[in-house]
Each structure stands twice: as structure tokens, then as C-alpha cells.
Amino acid sequence: MNSMPRLFVGIFVVFIFAWVGLVATPYLQLGNMQPEVDPDTGAQLPPVPSGLAAHGSKVYASMGCVYCHSQQVRPEEAGADLARGWGARRTVPRDYIREKPVYLGTMRTGPDLTNIGARQPSANWHYQHLYNPQMVRGSIMPPFRFLFENRKIVGEPSPEALEIPGVAVVPGYEIVPTQDARALVAYLLSLNRNYSLKEAPVD
Amino acid sequence: MSAIAEPPSSIHAPVPDSAVGQIASRAMIDASTRLPVLLFFGAALFWLLAGSLFGFVASWKLHSPLFLADWSWLTFGRIRSAHLNAMAYGWASQAAIGVGIWLMARLCRAPLKSAPVLMIATGLWNLGVAIGISGILAGDSQSIEWLEFPAYATPLLFLAYGLIAIWAVIMFASRQVGHVYVSQWYLLAAFFWFPWLYGTANILIQGIGVNGVALGAVNWWFGHNVLGLWFTPIGLAAAYYFIPKVIGRPVHSYYLSALGFWSLALFYSWNGMHHLIGGPFPVWLVTASIVASIMMTIPVVTTAINHHMTMRGHFHMLGLSPTLRFVVFGAMSYTVVSLQGVSMAFRSWNKLTHFTHYTVAHAHLGLYAFFTMIMFGSMYYIVPRLTQCEWRSPRLIKLHFWLSAYGIIAMFGVLSIAGLAQGAWLNDPQIEFIKTVQVTIPYLMARSLSGVALTGAHFIFAIHFGLMLLRLGRTGPEPTYFENKRHDGGAVEGGQ
Ligand code: HEM
Ligand code: HEM
């Protein structure tokens, strides 16, 4: 192999071959998928997230939640995801059409969050948990106290002030979520892919 | 000697030219690479130290979540990404570029031209890495694994790399006629593949705005190819150069070299989707990558045989040459990590290991025990030729080697066990999830300790390197060996 053109063409061709296979083809096959529309109500599946939840998805990216939490439910033969109650069905490409970035994840230091909004529908629980994850005994999730404000009560206490089990609030002070925390919790509550799709019915 | 079986044009060990004139021109070629290569090495070591500290903080947080918990920029998700990116783009890539430039000039037998262009590239690259990591810590991560750098940092890296790639092609085109050595194939391919990979991935994600699972496919096409078509070829290019060079005999077989190279290019590029096994993807896509992963056995075994047969009868020299010891450790780890990787691509085994610390163990076996160790070995060879003095202390080198070697073996061991326990329990729905967390904690603590050993090794190496830059190395006719005596049996031809 002493000829530069031959070497170069080889290097080029193998690369483009794989690029067509692994990038271009999936993009053509999956990149333009449309939501499923319910013929009776006209509602779209997957549903369009609220503006606050969309902002929360950015907070999820910023905090790097994906490095510990996946968002994919594998079919029965590929793991115990369904048996653990992480979803009513496996997830399919259509579930993710609105997502960028897509938080499929490759690590389960923490549990899967595909359907956390269905499993844990209480906003208050999420606030408490983000502030003090160790309320789940033995959890190693980092606390996100910096997403909350610990402030002096002026006038009436805020209706959003949190009571956090195991955390004593100084009298005259209150802990309230910041806008980022509200958005993040709205996002978590929006995570519910237990609706039925044609290619993945819930039965 | 089995090398006889080769075609004559392939007396292609980079060794035999021992004529005085040749040595003089080799010194001249080395000198022409001095500034850019030392700049890349120095910057790489800076990021190695920074990345080690990031890694240590991330590791500690995994078993002690209240550690440094009140600063958003140090939260696990950010410091872990800072670690990965400091190691991948700050350390590993710059070590690769430095070694690649030096090898390219040597193998083309031509002095390096346009050093200032390469130095501008160093500047742009490091600016890009610094801005990218600050961006991650400040909360601007794209949250796409291996592509975390925010959109305002990536053009700098791309520009820097573009300069380097163009330089490499020009360098290659201006080479002295003669045989093109196997290392050059790998170098040329890697220097060409990486900018294409990085450019395409960023354009698809930021420009065209690919989303949904197609984005997942782009993500892992890129993530895998950074490993397989950038770090791996450079690591192999260095192994193919330094093993024959130090022991002073040609590579065992030309045909195996060629087979190894083309099968790697063909199969590795198809591997990406094995990171997504079980995920929401068409079956054909994942299966294609699983098949390609299994086919990787061909280049891996071929390369292993080729290196082993080259080394045969010379293993005693591992006690002598620091370069050889690091590079052979790396080359052997390449075989191990790759065969392990093949096993992890089988659906049945992946079901146990996916989503666990077992993957993280594999990741460090690949990037550290294979790639980083080969880079260390290469730098032990190259740096004295650029600074014109020899490494100060064989004991420091020895300490570096053993801290790195034991450190990575320990890290790999504890994370693998943790991962298997975690995976087995994750697959048993009767076991509460939190138990899968608790079972890993003692091992995660042990990993933090192994991280201390590795970080120590890196500081030792950086100090030794600093002494060389200050020309405080030994002067003397002999390279620094582990033992003072030169082994009388084998000629240590290339030095070290
Ligand atoms: C200095 C000692 C080191 C320590 C303490 C350390 C620690 C860590 C930790 C805690 C993680 C996160 C794992 C997780 O998310 O569960 C990680 C990931 C990673 N580290 Fe290191 N690391 C070290 C050295 C290195 C080096 C030298 C490299 C590369 C040259 C490297 C490359 C990586 C990569 C690629 C990942 C991502 C793994 C994955 O996604 O599976 N690390 N490391
Ligand atoms: C034949 C060779 C190889 C094969 C078939 C292979 C296979 C795999 C597989 C299947 C995974 C995904 C594990 C999972 O998520 O369940 C993986 C992850 C990984 N491999 Fe390999 N591997 C090979 C060689 C290497 C080498 C040589 C390196 C380093 C240079 C390496 C570095 C990594 C890293 C860093 C990851 C973690 C990626 C992440 O999650 O961030 N592998 N490998």
C-alpha cells in the first residue's frame, strides 16, 4: 500500500458506507415521524408538552440527570423494566419525536424516568425529593438545594413554601422553589408515556 | 525468522537505517517537530491533571452525595461531563495529536513544515476545550454523551482540527518516496476520520436539528467512532511503531497488518448502535452493529497475533525499556478490552451489563489501560528527543508505571464486580431498586481509592515532564532505562 490515492479512497469509502447505514438511513426512516392523532378528540400522541415543561427539559440537560437516569422501557425479553413497573408498555421511536436532546441514557445509577410523572404524580413529593433526595433511604442522588431559595418571610408566607421532612427551617424563613425548580418538576410530571399507540398498545 | 515470508517491499520496520547520515537527518526531523509536539503534550498533561481532579470529585460524590453539594457547577451531572470531556478532548485527543504529528514526520522522513499553523491549532483547540468545559460547569451542556460541549465551543475545535488534518495530508503528500508503513495508514485514516465525524455530528445536531431516536443514532454513531476511529487507530499506530522500534526487529507480518487495518476500518465504523441494545430502535439497526461488533474479533485477534509474534523472544526487555513496558501493557489491554467489548455486544450478556458500572469499567479499560498507557509510553520515547536530555529518574518512571497499572487494574476490577451485582439485581424485579444502589457503594469507595493512585501517577509524570521542559533531565549518552546496565543480549536500537 504505497499509493496515497488508493489508501485514501479506501478510507473514504468504508466511512461513507457506515455513515449511510447508521446515520442517513435511520434519519430517513425515523427522522420525520408524525404524532398519532386520536380520531375522536383530535389530541396528539405523544402530547405536546407545556412551555414550563419544555423549559424543565433544559434544566434536566443543564443538571446532567441523564448520566444516572435512563428514559426507555425495554421489552420483556431485554430486561426487567416492565416487571419493575417502569411502564405499561415498551417505548417506541414515536414516543420521542418531540425530544431534543433525547434522554435515552446508558446508565441506571438511579431508576428509569420514562413514566415518572405517572409513578409519582405529586409535585410536592418532587420538590421535597430534589431538595433532600436522602429522604429515600440509601439514595445517593445529589441534593439540588441550589434550585431553591431560602428566604426571610416578608408579610404572608408563600403558598409555595416547602415542608421538607428531616429538614428544620429556621423560624421566620421559608424555602421556596426557583423558576428552574418549578420547570424541572413540571417536566418530570409530564413524563408519562403510558398512552396507547397503534404500534405499542397498552392492554 | 518469520518475517522472511514477507514481500521484499515490506522490510518496513522503521528501524534499520543506522547509517550516520540517516541518524543526523532523523535528529533534524525530530527537532523540526519540537515546538508543536511539546505544546500539545504540555496542554494534554494540564487537562489530564484537571480531568483527574474532576473524576475524583465525581467518584467521591457517587458514594457521598453530600460532598460539595451546594454549588450547582459541581453537581454530579456537570462534573462528570467535565471529567469525560477533559479526558477525551483535553488529554487523550491532544496526546494523540502530539504523538501523531511526531510519528507522521518521522515516518514521512521529512522535516515538519508550517509549525506555526500547528501551534495556532493548539491554541484554538485549548481555547475550545476551556470554553466547552466552563460551559458545561456553568450549565450549558448539550447533554448528549460525548458531545456535551455547547454550540459556542465546537467551531473552535473543528477549526483547530481542520488545520491539523490539512497539515497531515500535506505532510503525507510530501513524504520521501518509499514504503508506507502500517502506522501511517492508521494515522492518515484517523486524521481524516475525526474532523469528518465531529463536523457531521455537530452539523446534524445543531444545524439540521435531528431529534428523537434519530438523534440517539447520531449520538452513538459519533460516540463510538470517536473511540474506534480516532483513539484506537492512533493508539495502534503508536504500538505498531514503538514495539518494533524499541526491540529492533521488523513487524512480524505485513499481511496481518493490512488485514487488521482494513477489517478495523470496515467493521468498527458499523459498531455504534451496540450502545443502544434493547432501546427503541428498529431491530435491523441494532443487529447490524452487533454483527459488526462480533466481526471485530478479526482485526483484534490479527493485531494481537502480529504484536505478540513481533515481541516473541524479547519479553525480557520489558524490564528495561519504559517505553516498551507502557506500550506493551497498552497493546495487551487493547486485546482484552476489545474481546470484552465483543462479549458485551451479545444481547444475552448486554442484558446483564448494560446500564451498570460494568460499562464504566470497560470504558476505563479502553481509554486508560489501552490508550492512555500507550500515550505515556510514546511520550517517554519522544520527549527526550525533543528536549535533548534524558528522563531524570528511572524510579519516578517506575512509580508512575506501577501506580497507573495497579490503579487501573483495581478500578477495572471493583467496577466490574459492582456492575455485575448491580445488573443481576436490576434484572430481578423482586429486588427493590435501592438495593441495586446500595450493593455498589463499597466498590464505588474502592474506585475512589484507585482514582487516588491514578491521580498520583499523573502528578508524578507531569512533574517529570516539567523537569524535562526545564532541561533538568540527565545529560548523557544513554537513554534512561529501568536498570542501569544495558542488556547485552538484545540491541536496544532505537534507544530506550
Ligand atoms: C484519575 C482517575 C479517574 C477517576 C477517579 C475517574 C472517575 C470517573 C467517574 C466517577 C466517572 C463517572 C461514572 C458514572 O457516570 O457512573 C467516569 C467516567 C468516565 N471516565 Fe473516568 N476516571 C478517571 C480517569 C479517567 C481517564 C484517565 C480517562 C480517559 C482517558 C477517563 C475516561 C472516562 C470516560 C470515557 C467516562 C465515561 C464512561 C461511560 O460513560 O461509561 N477516566 N470516570
Ligand atoms: C472490538 C472492540 C470493542 C467492542 C465490540 C466494544 C463494545 C462495547 C459495547 C457493547 C459498549 C456498550 C456497553 C453498554 O452501554 O451496554 C461499549 C462501551 C464503551 N467502550 Fe467499547 N468495545 C470495544 C473496544 C473498545 C475500545 C478499544 C475502547 C477504548 C478506546 C472502548 C471504549 C468504550 C467506552 C468509553 C464505552 C462507554 C461509552 C459510554 O457509555 O460513554 N471500547 N463498548
Side-chain angles (χ1 to χ4, degrees), chain B residues 55 59 76 80 83-84 87 146 364 367-368 372 411 447:
Chain B
S59 181
F76 176 82
R80 181 223 192 259
H83 165 66
L84 188 149
M87 289 307 192
W146 295 89
H364 287 88
L367 273 173
Y368 199 95
T372 293
M411 185 181 282
R447 192 265 298 273

Side-chain angles (χ1 to χ4, degrees), chain B residues 460-495:
Chain B
I460 290 170
F461 183 49
I463 290 168
H464 216 171
F465 177 80
L467 291 178
M468 295 292 279
L469 283 190
L470 298 172
R471 303 273 167 100
L472 292 177
R474 272 187 322 103
T475 47
E478 286 261 301
T480 306
Y481 297 113
F482 284 135
E483 288 154 35
N484 282 335
K485 275 198 309 272
R486 213 176 153 140
H487 204 276
D488 39 6
V492 186
E493 278 202 35

Side-chain angles (χ1 to χ4, degrees), chain A residues 1-4 6-8 10-12 14-23 25-27 29-31 58 60-68 70 72-81 83-84 86 90-93 96-112 134 136-146, chain B residues 62 65-66 69-72 75-78 80-81 139 142-145 148 169 172 175 178-180 185 188-189 192-193 196-197 200 204-205 208-213 215-218 220-221 229 254 262 265-266 269-270 272-273 275 278-282 284-285 289 351 354-357 422 425-429 431-434 437-438 441:
Chain A
M1 260 192 295
N2 290 329
S3 135
M4 169 136 168
R6 237 191 307 159
L7 188 59
F8 216 72
I11 289 170
F12 185 81
V14 287
F15 194 78
I16 202 102
F17 178 45
W19 185 84
V20 168
L22 296 188
V23 177
T25 319
Y27 179 60
Q29 190 181 351
L30 306 167
K58 298 277 176 300
Y60 194 89
S62 157
M63 295 300 153
C65 312
V66 70
Y67 301 102
C68 292
S70 60
Q72 52 177 306
V73 178
R74 296 174 295 173
E76 203 181 324
E77 67 276 12
D81 306 11
R84 281 195 172 275
W86 283 345
R90 68 165 296 184
T91 50
V92 292
Y96 301 90
I97 53 175
R98 301 185 200 287
E99 294 179 19
K100 184 179 186 246
V102 58
Y103 303 116
L104 294 166
T106 53
M107 186 69 185
R108 283 180 174 165
T109 302
D112 186 84
Q134 279 64 49
V136 176
R137 277 183 79 87
S139 173
I140 57 171
M141 175 164 146
F144 292 89
R145 294 190 287 246
F146 46 80
Chain B
L62 273 181
L66 297 183
D70 279 323
W71 288 285
S72 59
T75 193
F76 176 82
R78 294 190 187 172
R80 181 223 192 259
S81 304
Q142 297 205 54
S143 221
I144 300 174
E145 283 184 75
E148 281 90 351
V169 172
F172 188 74
R175 72 193 185 279
H179 184 78
V180 180
W185 315 337
L188 196 68
F192 171 74
W193 282 330
W196 190 353
L197 270 170
T200 324
L204 284 170
I205 292 168
I208 299 181
V210 175
N211 63 0
V213 294
L215 173 55
V218 174
W220 286 108
W221 169 77
L229 300 181
Y254 173 83
W262 287 112
L266 188 61
S269 50
W270 274 90
M273 305 306 127
H275 295 262
F281 290 86
W284 71 264
L285 188 64
S289 281
K351 184 175 170 178
H354 193 41
F355 296 130
T356 73
H357 294 291
Q422 184 190 8
W425 286 14
L426 275 170
N427 282 345
D428 180 350
I431 292 175
E432 260 186 292
F433 180 82
I434 196 69
V437 176
Q438 288 295 308
I441 287 179

Side-chain angles (χ1 to χ4, degrees), chain B residues 148-171:
Chain B
E148 281 90 351
F149 282 168
Y152 48 77
T154 49
L156 287 168
L157 292 171
F158 186 72
L159 205 64
Y161 207 98
L163 291 178
I164 296 164
I166 294 169
W167 170 88
V169 172
I170 294 175
M171 185 81 212

Side-chain angles (χ1 to χ4, degrees), chain B residues 41-42 44-45 91 95 99 242 323 374-384 391 461 465 496:
Chain B
F41 284 175
L45 284 175
W91 154 247
V99 170
F242 288 110
T323 295
I374 288 192
M375 289 300 111
F376 287 149
S378 309
M379 288 161 88
Y380 274 117
Y381 190 92
I382 297 171
V383 172
W391 294 98
F461 183 49
F465 177 80
Q496 276 219 19

Side-chain angles (χ1 to χ4, degrees), chain A residues 67-68 106-107 109, chain B residues 48-49 51-62 76 80-81 83-88 91-92 145-146 220 227 231 356-364 366-368 371-372 376 408 411 415 444 447-456 458:
Chain A
Y67 301 102
C68 292
T106 53
M107 186 69 185
T109 302
Chain B
L48 178 66
L49 299 185
S52 301
L53 296 178
F54 296 154
F56 182 76
V57 172
S59 181
W60 201 268
K61 279 168 170 270
L62 273 181
F76 176 82
R80 181 223 192 259
S81 304
H83 165 66
L84 188 149
N85 285 277
M87 289 307 192
W91 154 247
E145 283 184 75
W146 295 89
W220 286 108
L227 303 164
F231 295 128
T356 73
H357 294 291
Y358 190 88
T359 309
V360 183
H362 169 77
H364 287 88
L367 273 173
Y368 199 95
F371 185 78
T372 293
F376 287 149
I408 191 61
M411 185 181 282
L415 285 177
L444 293 175
R447 192 265 298 273
S448 287
L449 288 184
S450 71
V452 174
L454 294 181
T455 308
H458 302 157

